[in-house]
Amino acid sequence: MKNLFFFLLSFFLLTACMTDRRNVRRLDGDWKIATYKQTDKLGFTYIIPASGDFHFQKYKLKDEKGKFNYDFSYYVSNDTVRYSEIGEYYSVAKKEAIFLNSFDSNGEIIKTEKFHIDILTTTDVIFQYNDLNVMHTFVLRKEK
């Protein structure tokens, strides 16, 4: 019984590491925003016209962090909201998330966002993160 417990524990840890590696490997490259949605605290979802790019540089998990940058804008109430960030990203297997550290012009970390990957194929990814009031959902398509 003891051996079975250690086998199952080892299997689950190995599976988590393999999923982590696969997600990092598949994120590598240039991605275009196909759809952007915002869901408020009450559960109302709004599809927002948006455009932009995300770029992830592949890294090996032993190196701990890769580089990213994104530039996107969306349109609400006759106004354009624009985001442009550079930084590093990393994965934490136990949390099943990708963390993005954004840098200021001096290379200092100004914020960390936790993104969940809902679906990840070789051509599509659904990236989500929560701020205090809104769930942001990006459907990204890989550029060829």
Side-chain angles (χ1 to χ4, degrees):
M1 185 70 168
K2 193 178 198 182
N3 289 338
L4 179 61
F5 172 74
F6 286 118
F7 172 75
L8 290 174
L9 179 64
S10 299
F11 176 76
F12 287 120
L13 289 174
L14 180 62
T15 303
C17 289
M18 288 171 51
T19 301
D20 194 37
R21 289 174 197 263
R22 185 174 55 240
N23 288 346
V24 167
R25 191 171 48 246
R26 287 184 179 170
L27 268 180
D28 178 40
D30 297 317
W31 300 82
K32 280 261 189 231
I33 295 174
T35 307
Y36 173 59
K37 305 187 274 192
Q38 293 181 349
T39 304
D40 65 19
K41 291 191 290 188
L42 299 174
F44 293 103
T45 300
Y46 307 95
I47 296 175
I48 310 288
S51 63
D53 307 295
F54 283 72
H55 175 75
F56 294 93
Q57 177 185 343
K58 184 166 70 172
Y59 72 99
K60 296 180 181 176
L61 289 179
K62 65 181 181 179
D63 296 335
E64 296 183 9
K65 296 182 181 168
K67 305 284 185 213
F68 83 90
N69 64 293
Y70 63 78
D71 183 26
F72 76 94
S73 58
Y74 63 89
Y75 313 98
V76 289
S77 304
N78 296 326
D79 194 18
T80 301
V81 179
R82 183 180 263 352
Y83 290 96
S84 184
E85 309 246 345
I86 60 168
E88 62 190 12
Y89 76 101
Y90 57 97
S91 178
V92 178
K94 291 182 181 179
K95 298 194 179 197
E96 297 180 0
I98 299 290
F99 293 86
L100 275 60
N101 292 333
S102 298
F103 297 151
D104 64 11
S105 59
N106 297 324
E108 300 292 323
I109 295 174
I110 54 174
K111 69 178 173 180
T112 299
E113 294 172 322
K114 178 182 176 182
F115 281 79
H116 290 280
I117 300 173
D118 284 343
I119 297 173
L120 183 61
T121 67
T122 56
T123 59
D124 298 292
V125 62
I126 296 177
F127 239 30
Q128 290 183 321
Y129 79 95
N130 281 318
D131 61 20
L132 295 175
N133 298 312
V134 176
M135 162 87 80
H136 302 270
T137 303
F138 297 90
V139 177
L140 304 176
R141 295 246 159 72
K142 188 119 185 199
E143 293 184 325
K144 294 182 180 190

